[in-house]
Amino acid sequence: MAGEVDAVVVGAGFGGMYMLYKLREAGFSVQGFEAGDGVGGTWYWNRYPGARCDVPSLFYSYTWSEELQKEWRWTEKYAAQPEILTYANHVADRFDLRPMIAFETRVLSAHFDEAADRWRVTTDRGDELMARFVVMATGCLSTPRKPPIPGVDDFAGPTYHTGAWPHEGVDFTGQRVAVIGTGSSGIQSIPQIARQADHVTVFQRTANYSVPANNTPLTDKDIEDFWKMYPGYIAMIKGPGLGFGGNPANALAATPEERRQRFEEFWGVGGAGFLAAWGGIITDLDLNTEAADFVREKIGETVKDPDTAEALKPYDHPIGTKRICVDIDYFETYNRPNVTLVNLKETPIEAIEAHAVRTSDATYEADALVFATGFDAMTGTLLAIDIRGAGGATLKHAWAEGPKAYLGLAVAGLPNLFIVTGPGSPSVLSNMINSIEQHVEWIVDCLGYMREHGFTRIAADAQTQEEWVAHVRRVADKTLFPRAASWYMGANIPGKPRVFMPYIGSGYRKKCADVAAAGYEGFELAKEPADVHAA
Ligand code: NAP
């Protein structure tokens, strides 16, 4: 493919699909590229057993088409991956998005041609396309990573990564399976694998907090109730933007019994909403410790073997500072006779061998190996593309000390390039679908504004970007988040700069809207390559 379009959109997950739709509706010519052979992004790749949404599905749906909302019927409170992928495919068909997407095509580079104010985009299929704008809808968790364990590639049997699961599924019947990793993906898949396999050995480095999903089928009444509160929900998500944190005053004014009572109530409801039992869990260490103690107690009540229960209790980070997990029968699974927990804090992995995982004190034989070891989050996928902006400046260089993006939407030095839910925006600490919609709408409005006013170039101002990045850090520093070695901090990748990447302050949407209303304040706009002026 060659030629020119107004915009290239990279990725056909929920961000890319809506971006394509909105750009087409606004009259822009657009080409999408997608590495997979279908739409759905994270729900296309993460097909491991037990993969399931951890946001209630009624709220994990696009809101931009009320007809779509009304005609789609989720079957469970937390839909499983196949149902979410079916939804993504339904959207692609209903809105005729597929003709705009080149599937099984990976974007390799995007170089900005300053003389033409256009990007030259190349792919692994030899495409070379010119585009005024590039939108990276590449997802926050889309580069799976295997840890650099000695012998990691020496295993003789099949190996799998939860983030790149075979489409045909895996039958573990009769097998001894080793699972490395106990984040959300491990916690969701381990119970399912244990039901099928002969034996499962779980290699846990960091114990994790997990709340039962208490998943249920969705009833007509649930749907009716949803529609009753829908206008309020829409008003909330279109409002100024909620922050992540909250004020612990109410909790601290309550008695310990009242606090506990509320923890029980929220535990009973289930899901990540447990962290909202009291405002301030994520900012006040004492309150956080009470919540963490409560979960540790629940683990102790559930897991029968006291040593295993103790090993499963997280002590090394405040609750919520790593993504809280939502499970179905996770802790119960350790009561099965075919499941063994290996605590890597006591006996670290020394090597992976052809037929086993060897720790400092034992060798665990395995027929299959599952890596539930996460992703190079938020930056990995973008940095894998050779992105060069004005003056040949590379994204790699710009982000050498950690990701910097104004509002998480644009990077100084990379004109006319936008990121959907990039670092410095609420992204992974918000409902992703809501945040995607907000970014897509902001970007399309911006392109519309430029077209209307004859601008051909927009770039984030470097100083304004620095101030935003500092603000993002200051807000995070007021919370307990930086105390965890989390992927939010880049801590899961050796050598990755430790920067808290999502924005957790309030008023984010209002800030974006104000920036736009002021003629894209903090951005530089130009009509000709030479005519750059601050907005
Ligand atoms: P993750 O949270 O990064 O967890 C990776 C796990 O692998 C951790 O337990 C980690 O231990 C372990 N690990 C990494 N390197 C290791 C090594 N060298 N040796 C031993 N263990 C190692 O990844 P994830 O579970 O795929 O989840 C990532 C994110 O995706 C989640 O936080 C969530 O946002 C999203 N997700 C969402 C859902 C959902 O919505 N339902 C499901 C799955 C994932 P350490 O903690 O010690 O590093």
Side-chain angles (χ1 to χ4, degrees):
M1 184 188 308
E4 180 166 346
V5 288
D6 291 325
V8 156
V9 176
V10 188
F14 283 110
M17 285 201 294
Y18 185 36
M19 195 76 231
L20 290 165
Y21 172 81
K22 279 293 273 186
L23 286 169
R24 186 185 62 194
E25 292 300 292
F28 292 101
S29 60
V30 54
Q31 177 63 52
F33 290 110
E34 165 57 50
D37 71 0
V39 299
T42 200
W43 302 104
Y44 171 94
W45 297 103
N46 287 266
R47 299 175 189 231
Y48 59 83
R52 197 176 275 282
C53 203
D54 64 1
V55 172
S57 292
L58 286 169
F59 301 97
Y60 195 81
S61 315
Y62 285 131
T63 64
W64 49 268
S65 163
E66 201 165 309
E67 297 77 47
L68 173 68
Q69 277 280 45
K70 289 219 156 107
E71 74 198 18
W72 185 262
R73 172 79 194 235
W74 294 106
T75 63
E76 296 178 274
K77 181 175 170 190
Y78 297 102
Q81 174 272 332
E83 190 173 356
I84 304 173
L85 187 57
T86 305
Y87 173 75
N89 277 301
H90 170 70
V91 172
D93 292 332
R94 193 190 188 288
F95 297 98
D96 197 25
L97 303 179
R98 292 182 206 279
M100 286 186 277
I101 307 166
F103 290 103
E104 294 183 89
T105 308
R106 195 172 278 281
V107 168
L108 298 180
S109 71
H111 293 178
F112 190 66
D113 178 343
E114 282 187 84
D117 267 355
R118 280 175 181 77
W119 287 91
R120 175 177 289 105
V121 178
T122 68
T123 75
D124 62 354
R125 285 185 176 256
D127 304 306
E128 186 172 319
L129 211 57
M130 298 301 289
R132 173 79 76 202
F133 301 101
V134 170
V135 181
M136 294 294 180
T138 40
C140 295
L141 294 155
S142 44
T143 297
R145 81 172 264 283
K146 277 190 197 170
I149 298 171
V152 67
D153 295 320
D154 294 347
F155 192 72
T159 63
Y160 307 99
H161 192 291
T162 48
W165 202 259
H167 288 199
E168 62 281 11
V170 181
D171 184 359
F172 289 113
T173 307
Q175 296 191 13
R176 296 163 301 175
V177 183
V179 181
I180 302 178
T182 51
S184 299
S185 305
I187 281 178
Q188 285 189 332
S189 58
I190 288 162
Q192 297 287 324
I193 297 172
R195 277 190 201 136
Q196 199 180 49
D198 196 40
H199 194 91
V200 176
T201 309
V202 178
F203 294 88
Q204 171 193 277
R205 189 165 67 182
T206 304
N208 233 321
Y209 298 94
S210 187
V211 181
N214 292 337
N215 190 33
T216 49
L218 275 182
T219 62
D220 288 346
K221 165 115 182 24
D222 293 330
I223 312 273
E224 263 170 46
D225 290 348
F226 171 74
W227 282 108
K228 276 187 206 145
M229 53 83 68
Y230 195 68
Y233 169 59
I234 295 294
M236 188 269 288
I237 65 170
K238 303 271 183 214
L242 302 175
F244 202 101
N247 184 346
N250 287 341
L252 300 179
T255 64
E257 293 71 30
E258 286 166 336
R259 286 198 290 271
R260 192 182 165 82
Q261 176 59 29
R262 227 168 128 77
F263 287 139
E264 279 291 2
E265 280 165 27
F266 276 66
W267 185 265
V269 172
F274 177 78
L275 290 177
W278 292 101
I281 287 181
I282 216 69
T283 48
D284 184 281
L285 187 57
D286 291 338
L287 180 59
N288 186 289
T289 305
E290 258 182 59
D293 283 343
F294 179 87
V295 176
R296 286 189 281 260
E297 254 179 71
K298 291 286 180 195
I299 296 170
E301 286 164 15
T302 308
V303 180
K304 291 188 183 135
D305 174 64
D307 291 340
T308 306
E310 199 50 32
L312 285 165
K313 291 180 191 171
Y315 288 103
D316 76 339
H317 62 285
I319 187 168
T321 56
K322 285 189 171 196
R323 171 77 169 205
I324 194 152
C325 303
V326 176
D327 71 275
I328 298 179
D329 292 343
Y330 176 63
F331 294 114
E332 291 80 350
T333 295
Y334 291 91
N335 295 331
R336 295 176 66 101
N338 70 332
V339 177
T340 307
L341 180 71
V342 178
N343 182 354
L344 301 180
K345 285 267 153 77
E346 286 177 359
T347 57
I349 296 179
E350 288 189 339
I352 293 174
E353 300 176 349
H355 301 284
V357 177
R358 176 161 54 77
T359 67
S360 57
D361 81 334
T363 298
Y364 299 88
E365 293 200 346
D367 305 306
L369 185 51
V370 174
F371 289 96
T373 44
F375 303 86
D376 188 351
M378 302 197 75
T379 60
T381 309
L382 291 165
L383 288 170
I385 302 172
D386 175 18
I387 300 175
R388 289 166 196 261
T394 64
L395 181 65
K396 237 179 217 108
H397 184 259
W399 283 8
E401 291 162 8
K404 294 179 177 180
Y406 181 38
L407 301 173
L409 275 161
V411 180
L414 305 180
N416 295 2
L417 182 141
F418 298 94
I419 307 170
V420 177
T421 65
S425 74
S427 61
V428 290
L429 281 171
S430 64
N431 177 334
M432 280 300 287
I433 297 259
N434 298 159
S435 288
I436 281 169
E437 291 186 338
Q438 185 241 342
H439 269 192
V440 166
E441 287 161 15
W442 192 95
I443 293 166
V444 175
D445 285 351
C446 174
L447 268 54
Y449 173 90
M450 290 177 69
R451 182 172 57 189
E452 195 183 320
H453 293 85
F455 290 117
T456 56
R457 190 194 287 208
I458 184 165
D461 169 63
Q463 182 54 34
T464 311
Q465 175 176 282
E466 283 300 324
E467 286 160 16
W468 179 252
V469 170
H471 172 65
V472 171
R473 192 180 52 238
R474 271 196 307 275
V475 173
D477 283 346
K478 287 188 192 144
T479 72
L480 302 171
F481 274 111
R483 296 185 182 221
S486 65
W487 61 257
Y488 300 141
M489 299 282 301
N492 63 327
I493 306 290
K496 187 164 172 170
R498 298 238 176 161
V499 174
F500 188 79
M501 294 185 280
Y503 178 60
I504 50 176
S506 58
Y508 174 80
R509 283 171 172 267
K510 181 170 182 320
K511 168 77 182 169
C512 292
D514 289 349
V515 163
Y520 296 90
E521 193 174 30
F523 288 88
E524 291 167 352
L525 287 145
K527 293 192 170 166
E528 301 290 337
D531 167 36
V532 177
H533 71 274

